[in-house]
Amino acid sequence: MNDFLDQLRAVAGRRHVLTGDTETRRFRQGYRYGGGDALAVVQPGTLVEMWRVLQACHRAGTVVILQAANTGLTGGSTPVADGYDRPVVVINTLRLRRLDLLKGGVQVVSQPGVTLDQLEKALRPVGREPHSVIGSSCIGASVTGGVCNNSGGSLIRRGPAFTQFALFARIDAAGELKLVNNLGIDLGDTPEEILGRLDEGRVADSDIAPSPHLQASDHEYCHHVRDISASTPARFNADPRRLYEASGSAGKIAVFALRLDTFAADDNTQVFYIGSNDPAELETIRRDILGSFENLPIAGEYMHRSAFDASKRHGKDLFLFIQAFGTDKVPLAFALKSRFDGICEKLRLGGAVSDRILQFLSDLWPNHLPQRLNRFRDAYEHHLLLKMGDGGIDEARAYLESRFPSQHGGYFECTEKEGQAAFLNRFAVGGAIVRYRAVNPKTVEDIVALDIALPRSTLDWFEKLPPEITEKIDFTMYCGHFFCHVLHQEYLVKKGEDCEAVKDAILSLLKARGAEYPAEHNVGHLYEAADSLRDFYRELDPTNSFNPGIGKTSLNLDWKEAGYFR
């Protein structure tokens, strides 16, 4: 394999082909789950380099795992621990950061390393916004990763990340590596000509071909989510209506560029903070707003008191870091943290050293959340962060004034500072659960993280687990995108308990309630892919060369021995 590695170095440069355990650790280990070995991690600097790296991998017969920010929660962008029948190469795309605005910013062409934070900043001067503004952007997630994993949806009017315009490479059933230009933009004929033009930014509005039947976002979602009588969820990963080439592909093709819609930013926004001790009261609010409001909310985020507490304590350093330095510095911070932990592991100082240090320092820091948020935490078990824009502000204000105070709940209008803190506290909770596990190794076996979508018609939405399950759990966290009934339910299983058994027991209860899972984090290596998703993966990647094993499918070439690995 030395000749192969030399080929990669000749394409990407020696410093961008990583092979040592410590320097590759952050690319091989999942943000929350999973990780394995890789022959090399390659970081191409242009799309042409990425194509040549793919060609070299194809000739050498390696597994290819495409990865951007590696912020996924189900291990879907890192290798598994064992079971491959070929060497693994991880292609990390974070150096591919070119972004071109089309039609004055109404659409963009995004290379695979562009982050949501970068896109948001590029669009702000033209009064536009990307699909997601806060949430995944807190941890530096990429635009392409969101599309490939059906991610997002915290912004109610925009739905899951989706486009039918993509430029990608795939290996066809004959074993040939092909570049497919379905961007709807005339860029030339040969792969290197097409990719070279994108590298140089030679993309003009006049090159765009009319495509009246294709979409660069989910235009229907704003109507779809309003159907509160539907017995199916608003969105979930295996929904065939939103599986299309790059969209939902989960790394089964190599995406070079996407063409995406952007969205007009609201001139005025207002966050309303709602608390209640009765989950039915929040469901009534959800149904009233979706069913009768003229203006859909911008966002409606749910937090249980347990999520509030976890984020307030174990997500404090992430909260303060983002407040001080912005989301664009988070990937660098994670990279330095991973490298530090890798050195500590090499020195046999134990795992999660950085987490223990950061948590110690966080506990010394004074309270960082506004007092009204803390008072609502003490008073109410269930919290709803409702963000309205423009005409929807007065509509929501009048509605909430007519409902509250009630027997079980209340609300207040946030100041700008309170609103920003409320949403940042909500979106720091994912990292907080990882931290909780890291600093409690004596009481926690592992995280069972479920990402579920309840039917739109569900009334009794808040989970009540039976005692035979709760006695096996150290800590439970609930949060989610409330208006589409997508909930993130995380269980820190007690030391010594069987995490798989706990997960299977909870999933069987969810299945009986009509839930679909996963909803937006994709199957990764945690969930078994539904038949529709497995068929989609095999159609995209008939030789099983890209990200094999995803959705507990075969790890082997040509899908041989396609049993599930455990």
Side-chain angles (χ1 to χ4, degrees), residues 289-301:
I289 290 176
L290 290 178
S292 62
F293 269 37
E294 180 181 348
N295 300 279
L296 276 175
I298 296 171
E301 290 298 304

Side-chain angles (χ1 to χ4, degrees), residues 424-435:
L424 190 48
N425 191 53
R426 156 65 183 92
F427 287 111
V429 74
I433 297 302
V434 177
R435 171 67 56 75

Side-chain angles (χ1 to χ4, degrees), residues 174-193:
E176 296 295 322
L177 177 68
K178 299 286 182 65
L179 186 72
V180 181
N181 181 11
N182 285 344
L183 277 178
I185 302 173
D186 183 8
L187 296 168
D189 300 314
T190 68
E192 300 220 356
E193 180 185 5

Side-chain angles (χ1 to χ4, degrees), residues 13-28:
R14 182 169 294 275
R15 63 183 294 227
H16 299 299
V17 179
L18 313 176
T19 55
D21 286 347
T22 300
E23 62 184 353
T24 62
R25 183 184 184 277
R26 72 182 178 102
F27 306 99
R28 296 183 294 102

Side-chain angles (χ1 to χ4, degrees), residues 196-219:
R197 281 189 59 176
L198 287 176
D199 280 330
E200 295 168 8
R202 290 189 288 123
V203 183
D205 290 351
S206 58
D207 297 325
I208 301 173
S211 306
H213 303 298
L214 298 178
Q215 299 178 6
S217 63
D218 189 345
H219 296 174

Side-chain angles (χ1 to χ4, degrees), residues 78-147:
T78 52
V80 295
D82 54 61
Y84 296 109
D85 59 350
R86 297 151 286 170
V88 175
V89 173
V90 175
I91 299 178
N92 181 275
T93 63
L94 281 185
R95 293 180 65 213
L96 305 174
R97 300 286 298 270
R98 185 170 185 93
L99 178 67
D100 291 290
L101 274 58
L102 304 175
K103 307 175 185 177
V106 171
Q107 290 188 335
V108 297
V109 172
S110 171
Q111 290 195 7
V114 172
T115 63
L116 287 165
D117 179 82
Q118 177 189 350
L119 178 55
E120 182 184 354
K121 289 178 178 176
L123 292 174
R124 193 174 293 147
V126 294
R128 309 287 295 182
E129 290 181 342
H131 167 269
S132 295
V133 175
I134 192 169
S136 296
S137 55
C138 285
I139 52 174
S142 69
V143 174
T144 297
V147 170

Side-chain angles (χ1 to χ4, degrees), residues 528-538 551-553 562 564:
E528 185 176 309
D531 289 344
S532 59
L533 209 50
R534 295 159 69 85
D535 291 344
F536 178 60
Y537 293 160
R538 292 190 71 146
K552 299 194 174 183
T553 57
Y564 305 144

